[in-house]
Amino acid sequence: MSATVLPGTGVPAQRVNLKLGPGLLQNRDANEAGPSIITTRAGTLNHSANGSRWWVESNSRRYVPAPQESVIGVIVQRVGEGYRVDIGSAHYASLDSLAFEGATKRNKPNLKVGSLVYARVSLAHKDMEPELECFDAQTRKSEGFGELKGGFLVKCSLKMCRDLLDPKHFLLPLLGARFPLEAAVGMNGRVWVSAKEPRQIIAISRCIEAVDPDGGGLDEAGVKALLGTLDV
Amino acid sequence: MRPPSPSIPEKEFLVASLKESLRLDGRLPLETRTPILTFGPELGWVECALGKTRVVAEVEGKMVKPTPERPFEGSSRYTRRYRPWRRASTSPVGRASDEEVTITRMLDKVLRRSDAVDKESLCILAGQRVWHLRLTLHFLSDAGNMLDCACLAGIVALKHFRRPDVEVIGDEVTVHEPTERAPIPLAIHHTPFCFTFAFFPDPSIPPVIDPSQLEQRLSAGLLSVALNAQRELCVVQKLGGVPLDPDDVLKIVSVAVQKAKELNNVVDARLREDWEARKVEVT
């Protein structure tokens, strides 16, 4: 169930316990007819089966931070007790050096300028700088977050990132069946990949670029053919 | 806000893979991206794409009075419009960044000072009327090596452009519309092409031709060679402090000669194809 919408289109979402996802806005000063909901982006309008959750899906390359999204950032500066991190958004995010698993005043990780970190956006507000944390909100364990060593960073569109996070998407299982690999997918259009051989990393990077709906838009058969030419 | 420099893993991986002569886009070290030339409906409008790097070049011609010092010569002016890295440049708004200045100067040398266009053939009536050409380059996106892409777009646009035919009777100048008489191509002496090679701080890494954006940013020096298919060198420009052996430079020039010949054939074929498609049968 999906329809193509333009910014400003009214959405017929009516429910007591309504949750609005990206691209939707509730009009505060609505008339007596009740709160009206409009779209703020162009894309396809989707909703969950019972109509309680609505969102607009579209592709873009510019990342706007949203809370609880995992992102990949590059450390650009050390500031006192923390770091400034480039996550591809309009502003740099800040990452406290105590926001790591098991970090204390005396024992905290030492990250160099230019290191890659996999982190979770803990605060995203339109008037404030985004903030990052490198542990899970519930368990306070690292859960894979932290510094990413080695490997390579691939940039892709935001839709591609969401696709890669989808367990049903074909690309990562297909590549994983050929050779062991590690991947960390950020929601900000960056994917960190690692494998044993440089040629395997190059193969992953080229496959992601080829499958990206913003670039090649290759399907499964096309990727298999591409992999055949890559000699991995 | 300027884009941050590439991260440590990116840098380490690029160096490690280049040591094995592997490039990120699957090319060989001395393999260029195939340029894709798209011609617009008007003569002299060309879009050149090298991978994701895209430059549009357009040529306009108009009649002006020549300068009194050079009454027999037409004039040409090149303007550039930088789009993608206007915001990304380090310099304040309104001032050109280092890369812009480099490209601007190099384009001036390759296209204008190498005398690619015969200026005297642009004269219509000595001291009274000459053609004035304006070449505008729009830089649409940067995926590395904008210089080569811009040079190629510029020279192809000049070759693609045709000016209206003019007739001079006494002091009377008549311009014939393209519908009346076939427009005339510009007199082009030679077609210079530019090739850029990137060098890395580690001497065991071979130089790479047509660097991608990441390769360009991580390189220690760039060597740009402009030459034509007749093995005539126009410009050699070296940036960055990498020490180079004279033999290495000669090797690079011979590679560039080979590439220029191939590129010349591609460009000629595309121009012919486009011209054939423009022919209208008159019944």
Side-chain angles (χ1 to χ4, degrees):
Chain A
M1 188 49 209
S2 61
T4 307
V5 289
L6 290 170
T9 317
V11 174
Q14 294 261 311
R15 211 162 184 280
V16 184
N17 194 2
L18 190 66
K19 278 203 170 161
L20 297 181
L24 292 174
L25 181 76
Q26 185 175 25
N27 236 344
R28 292 282 159 97
D29 43 38
N31 47 18
E32 310 84 57
S36 69
I37 293 158
I38 56 164
T39 56
T40 57
R41 273 190 213 171
T44 52
L45 182 70
N46 293 285
H47 62 81
S48 58
N50 58 3
S52 67
R53 278 176 288 183
W54 292 72
W55 69 93
V56 176
E57 207 161 291
S58 60
N59 195 5
S60 68
R61 273 177 286 182
R62 195 182 69 158
Y63 178 65
V64 180
Q68 307 309 327
E69 283 185 349
S70 40
V71 293
I72 293 176
V74 185
I75 306 277
V76 286
Q77 199 187 351
R78 284 190 74 141
V79 206
E81 290 291 284
Y83 303 96
R84 285 166 77 71
V85 187
D86 169 62
I87 54 169
S89 60
H91 302 278
Y92 288 142
S94 61
L95 170 66
D96 199 90
S97 53
L98 294 175
F100 290 85
E101 183 196 346
T104 57
K105 275 261 178 206
R106 289 209 195 122
N107 173 28
K108 48 195 176 192
N110 187 19
L111 300 173
K112 276 191 255 157
V113 168
S115 309
L116 286 177
V117 283
Y118 191 44
R120 179 173 53 82
V121 179
S122 60
L123 180 112
H125 188 274
K126 61 173 180 174
D127 298 326
M128 287 165 75
E129 217 171 49
E131 280 177 23
L132 305 177
E133 276 173 0
C134 280
F135 54 75
D136 192 273
Q138 269 98 45
T139 60
R140 304 189 75 78
K141 291 270 186 275
S142 71
E143 308 280 358
F145 292 119
E147 191 187 351
L148 300 168
K149 290 186 185 123
F152 185 64
L153 188 69
V154 185
K155 296 188 177 85
C156 59
S157 69
L158 300 188
K159 179 85 174 75
M160 187 67 216
C161 281
R162 290 197 298 269
D163 283 353
L164 285 175
L165 284 171
D166 182 359
K168 289 200 276 296
H169 195 257
F170 66 90
L171 184 62
L172 288 179
L174 180 72
L175 291 169
R178 293 199 170 227
F179 49 84
L181 66 95
E182 275 185 280
V185 184
M187 291 286 280
N188 56 342
R190 293 177 187 180
V191 183
W192 173 86
V193 287
S194 181
K196 213 168 139 212
E197 300 271 327
R199 64 169 67 243
Q200 293 172 339
I201 296 184
I202 291 175
I204 304 171
S205 142
R206 288 189 64 192
C207 284
I208 291 177
E209 256 166 46
V211 175
D212 196 330
D214 191 38
L218 227 60
D219 58 352
E220 193 168 352
V223 171
K224 276 184 183 154
L226 176 66
L227 275 174
T229 63
L230 290 180
D231 175 38
V232 281
Chain B
M1 196 167 76
R2 126 196 140 85
S5 44
S7 62
I8 296 169
E10 281 175 287
K11 190 175 168 184
E12 283 172 353
F13 178 71
L14 187 89
V15 170
S17 56
L18 280 175
K19 272 189 186 161
E20 294 185 27
S21 294
L22 295 169
R23 288 176 80 176
L24 292 174
D25 38 15
R27 279 186 283 156
L28 297 171
L30 293 177
E31 189 181 343
T32 52
R33 294 173 281 189
T34 319
I36 296 163
L37 298 165
T38 319
F39 299 102
E42 280 162 53
L43 291 166
W45 192 100
V46 178
E47 182 187 318
C48 177
L50 276 175
K52 282 184 179 167
T53 304
R54 288 194 304 140
V55 176
V56 163
E58 51 183 328
V59 181
E60 282 170 292
K62 63 174 179 186
M63 276 194 266
V64 293
K65 200 175 160 62
T67 53
E69 302 92 62
R70 296 167 187 274
F72 307 108
E73 286 186 10
S75 51
S76 51
R77 225 186 94 205
Y78 299 131
T79 50
R80 293 148 296 272
R81 301 231 166 112
Y82 299 98
R83 296 262 166 79
W85 16 280
R86 225 331 144 211
R87 199 178 65 101
S89 62
T90 45
S91 57
V93 177
R95 265 189 49 207
S97 75
D98 284 356
E99 198 184 357
E100 279 178 38
V101 172
T102 317
I103 292 184
T104 307
R105 286 199 184 156
M106 190 67 185
L107 281 171
D108 191 61
K109 283 180 204 155
V110 175
L111 296 178
R112 194 153 62 148
R113 289 180 35 203
S114 77
D115 267 336
V117 180
D118 181 15
K119 280 187 186 154
E120 288 187 3
S121 74
L122 294 174
C123 180
I124 302 163
L125 198 60
Q128 298 296 314
R129 279 264 182 275
V130 290
W131 283 107
H132 174 82
L133 296 179
R134 200 174 72 187
L135 171 70
T136 313
L137 292 161
H138 303 268
F139 293 79
L140 302 182
S141 65
D142 178 13
N145 204 6
M146 301 241 283
L147 176 62
D148 293 7
C149 194
C151 284
L152 182 60
I155 193 72
V156 175
L158 287 172
K159 286 188 93 155
H160 187 242
F161 179 69
R162 277 159 203 249
R163 62 176 173 83
D165 196 5
V166 285
E167 200 176 17
V168 183
I169 305 162
D171 273 356
E172 196 92 346
V173 178
T174 329
V175 182
H176 294 283
E177 291 294 313
T179 42
E180 267 175 64
R181 282 196 197 178
I184 300 166
L186 300 174
I188 302 222
H189 287 311
H190 68 135
T191 0
F193 298 111
C194 185
F195 296 96
T196 300
F197 296 79
F199 294 89
F200 293 87
D202 192 331
S204 64
I205 299 177
V208 295
I209 193 170
D210 189 13
S212 69
Q213 198 178 24
L214 194 62
E215 287 164 345
Q216 199 170 350
R217 290 195 70 178
L218 291 173
S219 68
L222 295 170
L223 181 76
S224 298
V225 181
L227 76 175
N228 58 23
Q230 290 75 43
R231 302 176 59 101
E232 290 166 335
L233 265 183
C234 303
V235 187
V236 176
Q237 173 178 267
K238 181 176 168 289
L239 299 166
V242 180
L244 278 182
D245 220 24
D247 288 350
D248 287 348
V249 178
L250 288 177
K251 250 182 246 166
I252 277 168
V253 170
S254 61
V255 170
V257 167
Q258 195 58 38
K259 297 282 172 199
K261 281 180 185 160
E262 289 168 21
L263 193 56
N264 195 38
N265 293 342
V266 171
V267 166
D268 281 349
R270 279 293 288 135
L271 280 169
R272 216 176 303 123
E273 204 178 292
D274 179 69
W275 188 242
E276 292 298 321
R278 273 171 208 274
K279 274 188 185 160
V280 183
E281 289 289 324
V282 182
T283 49

